[in-house]
Amino acid sequence: KMSEKVPGFRVERRSISDVIALNYELYNYADIDKGVFIKQLPETLRRAMLSERVLCRWDFSYFMTRYHHIMDWQTEQYVRMQPNVAQRIVLSIMAEQEEQRLSIDLQSLKARQLGITTLSEAVIEHRVLFQPNTRAAVGSANPDKSAKMVQMIEKSIDRIPFWIMPTMTKHETNSYIEFGDMGSWLSVYHGAMKTGFARGETPTVAHLSEVTEWLDPDADIDAALMFAMHKGPRRILILESTAGVIKSW
């Protein structure tokens, strides 16, 4: 579609090394600290930038492997995310639901070190960055665990080139991120909150972790969140937890 509207334009999938090279070339025309271009871009670079934006918006796997960063557990350095076997399986399930125009609803009984939380946060980040009017809710059982979850997104956003990103209009560390021009935001909650979960809001995507440890999951999730989120192809709802005791939520 885009190729038909813009003569001479073609979306080009670049290797990771080519994306890195493109970033360096674009930064030669930019003030990185201010996040703006200070010199006019050649047409070839302008089209390359547009191609990357289009691919990132419509291809989550392309965005994840080229622009989303995670902490490598061996080197303790931030690296581009390359999904493991478990993450690829979950992605295939999400893809099947998306192809059928269904809500992406997942319940995950967590095993250790499979990276489902990491993948889920990448999915939430992608929606907030590239799909207008996305309202995201993320959280875990307590404030510290919730902070660790949203930091996965915050640290990754810090490493995404400004020319891929929409303009961030508000940021409260570990609490709230807003992209006002897109009408999108991400709000952080936790399972020990005294107030109602997502009260007065209608999230379109949500990722809750360690739900068996929440103080009142019946009220927060069953009675609040599930009714606030409308069924439909825009919805992503991921609930995950390590196993609790028998007959627990």
Side-chain angles (χ1 to χ4, degrees), residues 5-246:
K5 293 180 180 179
V6 183
F9 174 77
R10 175 176 293 180
V11 171
E12 178 183 349
R13 294 181 180 275
R14 290 174 168 80
S15 66
I16 294 173
S17 60
D18 286 343
V19 166
I20 294 172
L22 176 62
N23 289 343
Y24 279 121
E25 192 168 3
L26 284 165
Y27 282 145
N28 288 329
Y29 294 82
D31 183 323
I32 300 176
D33 293 330
K34 293 182 179 180
V36 295
F37 288 110
I38 56 176
K39 294 187 287 186
Q40 185 173 354
L41 293 174
E43 183 67 14
T44 53
L45 286 181
R46 198 174 63 83
R47 290 174 183 253
M49 184 172 64
L50 177 59
S51 174
E52 291 298 289
R53 287 175 174 169
V54 170
L55 283 169
C56 282
R57 178 175 183 180
W58 296 112
D59 188 337
F60 168 73
S61 292
Y62 189 88
F63 165 77
M64 173 182 62
T65 55
R66 271 70 171 178
Y67 293 98
H68 179 71
H69 288 72
I70 63 172
M71 174 72 77
D72 183 87
W73 65 273
Q74 292 179 309
T75 65
E76 295 189 347
Q77 299 292 321
Y78 279 92
V79 298
R80 288 169 171 81
M81 181 174 173
Q82 302 301 316
N84 61 31
V85 173
Q87 291 167 336
R88 290 199 295 270
I89 291 171
V90 172
L91 278 176
S92 69
I93 295 171
M94 290 181 173
E96 289 176 2
Q97 293 174 313
E98 186 176 54
E99 286 174 355
Q100 297 176 52
R101 302 287 294 169
L102 300 174
S103 302
I104 298 176
D105 295 342
L106 297 176
Q107 284 186 304
S108 173
L109 183 61
K110 291 171 59 175
R112 297 293 294 170
Q113 303 300 320
L114 293 183
I116 304 306
T117 299
T118 300
L119 175 64
S120 299
E121 288 300 283
V123 168
I124 298 297
E125 175 190 353
H126 179 260
R127 276 295 180 92
V128 172
L129 290 179
F130 296 107
Q131 297 300 321
N133 302 313
T134 293
R135 301 176 296 278
V138 302
S140 189
N142 60 53
D144 290 340
K145 290 182 178 180
S146 294
K148 289 179 180 178
M149 282 176 60
V150 75
Q151 283 169 10
M152 295 181 188
I153 293 177
E154 291 173 328
K155 297 298 185 181
S156 176
I157 284 177
D158 287 344
R159 290 163 173 78
I160 297 175
F162 72 85
W163 49 269
I164 289 288
M165 292 266 297
T167 301
M168 185 184 296
T169 53
K170 188 176 182 180
H171 181 206
E172 298 172 7
T173 303
N174 298 342
S175 178
Y176 186 78
I177 304 172
E178 181 180 281
F179 300 95
D181 294 342
M182 292 182 61
S184 296
W185 50 257
L186 180 152
S187 193
V188 182
Y189 303 87
H190 61 81
M193 295 176 68
K194 302 294 185 181
T195 57
F197 183 88
R199 180 171 292 174
E201 299 173 346
T202 309
T204 56
V205 298
H207 171 217
L208 307 185
S209 185
E210 301 300 351
V211 293
T212 60
E213 298 178 18
W214 285 50
L215 292 183
D216 196 348
D218 291 310
D220 288 340
I221 301 173
D222 284 339
L225 181 65
M226 297 297 288
F227 281 96
M229 298 186 72
H230 302 306
K231 277 276 190 179
R234 278 178 53 82
R235 172 168 126 170
I236 298 176
L237 175 59
I238 304 171
L239 305 177
E240 60 168 334
S241 185
T242 49
V245 300
I246 295 175

